[in-house]
Amino acid sequence: MKNREIADLFDQIADILELLGENTFKVASYHKASRVVGDLTEDVAALSQEGKLRDLPGIGESIASKIEEYLKTGTMARYQELAAEVPGGVVEMMHVPGLGPKTAGLFWKKAEVKSIADLQTAIEEGRLVGLPGIGEKKVENIKKGLATYLAGQSRILLGKALPIAEEIAVLLGKLKGVHEAIAAGSLRRRRETIGDIDILVSSTRGKEIVDAFVALPMVREVLAAGETKGSARVEGGFQIDVRVVPPESFGAALLYFTGSKAHNIRVRELAIAKKLKLNEYGLFRGEKPVAGKTEQEVYDVLGLAWMPPEIREDRGEVDAALAGQIPELVDVGDIRCDLQMHSTASDGGASIEEMAKTCQELGYSYMAITDHSQSLKIAHGLTPERLGEQRKEIDALNAKLGGENFRILAGVEVDILGEGKLDLPDEALAELDFVIASIHTGMTQDAATITKRITTAMRNPHVHGIAHPTGRVIGQREPYAVDFEEMVRVAKETGTALEINAYPERLDLNDVHARAARDAGIKLLIDTDAHAPDQLHFMRYGVFTARRGWVRKEDVLNTLPLNEFLAWTTGRRKGG
DNA sequence: GCCGTTTTCGGCCCGACTGTTTTCAGTCG
């Protein structure tokens, strides 16, 4: 699948065009095309063959022909031409914070700076100060940006950022004169990783709020503290920006600071079409404010249904909102169970009883214990005999804990071995209430091999679902080379569910894949894969990912009451 | 380069901040 390569080329073209001073809208067109192609779950080659490239938003004649050219020849002439004009290192320099296309071009042409390494040397030798429009402060700023860039501006996992942001928002919300305090930005959209944390506060007392913020106990270093904006580094190294806006602008500001940028652009275009202007202070007709207090108010005037922040990515939500067709997304409160977790029997840190008690506290009505299977020696995986013993323990616990109101299901996370063979015999699997299969070995196999393994496992009638279907670990491990479309096709054919693993490092399926699976009519499971009781609280991250994938309650099996869920598991085994 | 209940040509989101400037360019979100 060449989607990623093509998307990257379009970003490169956009960067070079920007450096060369091309029309900014042309530059934006290539960036948009990159995003659209990069977000596709279908193979762009298949779309090309079906003649559907131009149906994609932002893909017109010129870009479609470049995609076709690349698919046919493996190169893109326009890119080759452009790349020959500008050294790659100069393009890379544009990604240093504080250093944009104009300055990168200037350094290249007037100071022979052609790479990040050259840049570092030029700064040290003081060769940059004195160039047109370049003073001491600008170079100092670029030097700081370079340090950030070289440190690898790693993004923070949502699972790490959200608890801290929430804690600070609660503290700010309690201050005198504060109406509301909400974390905005990609955090509010629940992206899997976050760049920086923006907290928006509704109040007329800017200075007091900012001063109170930088005096919070978790603040380690104050970076700025002005009238309406404060910036600080907190324990854990996160940078947090707090912005204070008056209540009459809070909705418009929340919309603006929540983004995404692409979403904001679409919404502003609609405002212009209605002869209005939208900015972070409100929606205006001429000078006159017509909305701004709440997001709802702004969307209403524009004829849009309110959109959950998770879907504000310019992936069709604005058109859906215009048509009044925003789906009712699954919510944490809809979840009735957790169907993937481990106990001390394999590599978990707590007993089944401890896990069950936490599940009860979370308000679930059932759960499944899914320890690893025998071949995973390092995790002390279970043999059929040990699974039999565990079943007895579960039966006893059910009698002790639940009665009618709570039930522990006996399950397993069975390893998919070579060629799709499962790590337990069918007779052992048949004894269990719930079977989820997954890959823990041979993760670097080629697409054909690994896809065949997974689809073969799906065809086993005892397998209800596939856990962490793509195997990626955020920032640590690339997904398996699995052919996602084929996996979805066989999931549909066999009635196998796919998991959205809620573990913050996994979130697998991701948002885009979850959307594609849902669109294909696949049933989803949202599981924590908890190895300890506190990890059962990760459920919400899986739900956020599902919501980002436009997933509704009816798409998710663990929103079902127990009897309906069991009807599904037994139906699945009969091949239904 | 894309796109069309204003348009097939002429638009294309908006403002703040910073630094280097005497009125603005560049960068960012």
Side-chain angles (χ1 to χ4, degrees), chain A residues 336-371:
Chain A
R336 293 175 189 259
C337 63
D338 195 334
L339 295 166
Q340 216 228 121
M341 70 185 77
H342 300 262
S343 76
T344 46
S346 64
D347 60 350
S351 68
I352 298 173
E353 182 166 5
E354 288 171 285
M355 298 299 275
K357 282 185 172 159
T358 302
C359 283
Q360 286 184 310
E361 285 164 18
L362 287 167
Y364 297 155
S365 51
Y366 57 108
M367 60 179 269
I369 288 288
T370 54
D371 277 310

Side-chain angles (χ1 to χ4, degrees), chain A residues 161-392:
Chain A
L162 187 59
I164 291 175
E166 285 174 336
E167 187 183 352
I168 293 176
V170 167
L171 291 172
L172 294 175
K174 287 179 184 162
L175 295 174
K176 206 172 150 197
V178 171
H179 303 281
E180 224 170 331
I182 300 182
S186 52
L187 189 112
R188 183 161 179 248
R189 301 200 312 281
R190 312 303 194 212
R191 272 191 63 179
E192 60 194 33
T193 60
I194 306 298
D196 53 10
I197 300 174
D198 276 318
I199 298 178
L200 201 62
V201 178
S202 169
S203 175
T204 51
R205 306 183 182 191
K207 187 85 180 83
E208 288 171 48
I209 310 300
V210 170
D211 289 344
F213 161 60
V214 298
L216 287 176
M218 64 281 277
V219 167
R220 288 285 168 273
E221 184 189 355
V222 180
L223 304 169
E227 297 292 322
T228 61
K229 182 180 163 181
S231 191
R233 205 175 295 284
V234 299
E235 53 197 27
F238 309 124
Q239 185 179 325
I240 302 202
D241 293 343
V242 167
R243 296 162 198 270
V244 187
V245 298
E248 64 271 20
S249 294
F250 188 69
L254 189 57
L255 190 59
Y256 171 78
F257 284 112
T258 298
S260 67
K261 188 176 174 180
H263 174 87
N264 287 350
I265 289 173
R266 283 300 313 278
V267 174
R268 284 176 186 188
E269 283 170 353
L270 283 178
I272 291 169
K274 289 185 182 289
K275 310 246 185 264
L276 299 168
K277 184 177 73 170
L278 178 61
N279 59 28
E280 58 265 52
Y281 302 106
L283 186 60
F284 298 87
R285 177 170 283 116
E287 298 290 305
K288 186 171 160 269
V290 294
K293 241 181 155 64
T294 63
E295 287 185 337
Q296 182 76 64
E297 201 180 86
V298 175
Y299 281 138
D300 276 350
V301 175
L302 296 175
L304 292 164
W306 187 80
M307 287 161 268
E310 292 94 330
I311 65 170
R312 297 183 197 170
E313 297 287 350
D314 188 26
R315 291 175 179 161
E317 75 281 4
V318 174
D319 291 328
L322 279 169
Q325 288 173 345
I326 294 295
E328 179 95 7
L329 303 179
V330 63
D331 193 77
V332 177
D334 296 328
I335 302 296
R336 293 175 189 259
C337 63
D338 195 334
L339 295 166
Q340 216 228 121
M341 70 185 77
H342 300 262
S343 76
T344 46
S346 64
D347 60 350
S351 68
I352 298 173
E353 182 166 5
E354 288 171 285
M355 298 299 275
K357 282 185 172 159
T358 302
C359 283
Q360 286 184 310
E361 285 164 18
L362 287 167
Y364 297 155
S365 51
Y366 57 108
M367 60 179 269
I369 288 288
T370 54
D371 277 310
H372 290 289
S373 58
Q374 53 193 352
S375 76
L376 213 58
K377 304 284 185 206
I378 195 166
H380 199 222
L382 273 66
T383 58
E385 293 68 34
R386 288 182 62 215
L387 277 167
E389 292 300 312
Q390 189 178 63
R391 160 69 86 176
K392 286 181 200 156

Side-chain angles (χ1 to χ4, degrees), chain A residues 503-521:
Chain A
Y503 216 80
E505 283 85 352
R506 285 191 182 270
L507 300 179
D508 176 13
L509 303 177
N510 69 16
D511 52 357
V512 171
H513 283 138
R515 172 97 175 258
R518 162 234 198 247
D519 288 348

Side-chain angles (χ1 to χ4, degrees), chain A residues 41-57:
Chain A
T41 54
E42 311 107 291
D43 190 338
V44 72
L47 286 174
S48 171
Q49 283 195 336
E50 295 161 23
K52 288 184 180 165
L53 284 179
R54 299 214 38 199
D55 296 345
L56 296 170

